[in-house]
Amino acid sequence: MGAIIWRRQLSVGQPSIDDDHKHLIEYLNELDAALSAPRFQPARVARILIKLLEYTREHFAREERIMQMVHYPKFEEHVAMHRAAEQKVGELSARFSNEPTQENAERLYKFTADWLVRHIILMDTQLTPYVRGIWA
């Protein structure tokens, strides 16, 4: 699958949001490494998934607070995207919990990695003019 590399185009320009995104990418890269290991270990994958999902919820809450602070005009639309992603990841996680196969873990990784990078580049970077200089 391949590791995700942090690059300038992923920066929103607000330190706590950018740091959160870097941490999420680290978790995704851990998951990628677990999926690329010579032997699939469902318990290892599950531990990484739990950290990833918990941190994602924390990040969404932090990002949404910042959007409210700066009166971001697309707040409702942005939050709806977060909720839709949470729902889809929840469904994929439940599938993995019920059937902890490498294929189910890879589906979850692929969706999450694709969604995160696309969301940061297309949606979160629209926050930049509103959040630059906010250190919350």
Side-chain angles (χ1 to χ4, degrees), residues 44-91:
R44 177 182 175 199
V45 169
R47 283 191 299 275
I48 297 166
L49 285 174
I50 289 167
K51 291 190 301 186
L52 174 65
L53 297 175
E54 287 175 355
Y55 200 86
T56 299
R57 282 189 211 99
E58 292 170 15
H59 164 64
F60 284 170
R62 239 185 319 275
E63 189 175 273
E64 290 165 12
R65 278 194 304 276
I66 291 169
M67 286 190 287
Q68 287 177 314
M69 276 176 41
V70 298
H71 306 288
Y72 183 59
K74 296 181 182 177
F75 175 76
E76 298 298 328
E77 174 188 347
H78 202 111
V79 169
M81 289 178 190
H82 286 173
R83 297 304 164 265
E86 286 175 340
Q87 182 178 345
K88 180 67 175 176
V89 168
E91 291 167 9

Side-chain angles (χ1 to χ4, degrees), residues 6-50:
W6 177 262
R7 49 198 186 273
R8 191 179 59 234
Q9 72 198 79
L10 295 173
S11 177
V12 173
Q14 199 286 323
S16 64
I17 293 174
D18 286 344
D19 287 346
D20 277 359
H21 289 162
K22 289 174 186 174
H23 286 300
L24 290 168
I25 288 169
E26 286 172 18
Y27 289 134
L28 284 167
N29 287 339
E30 276 185 55
L31 183 55
D32 178 59
L35 293 171
S36 301
R39 188 171 67 83
F40 179 67
Q41 299 173 350
R44 177 182 175 199
V45 169
R47 283 191 299 275
I48 297 166
L49 285 174
I50 289 167

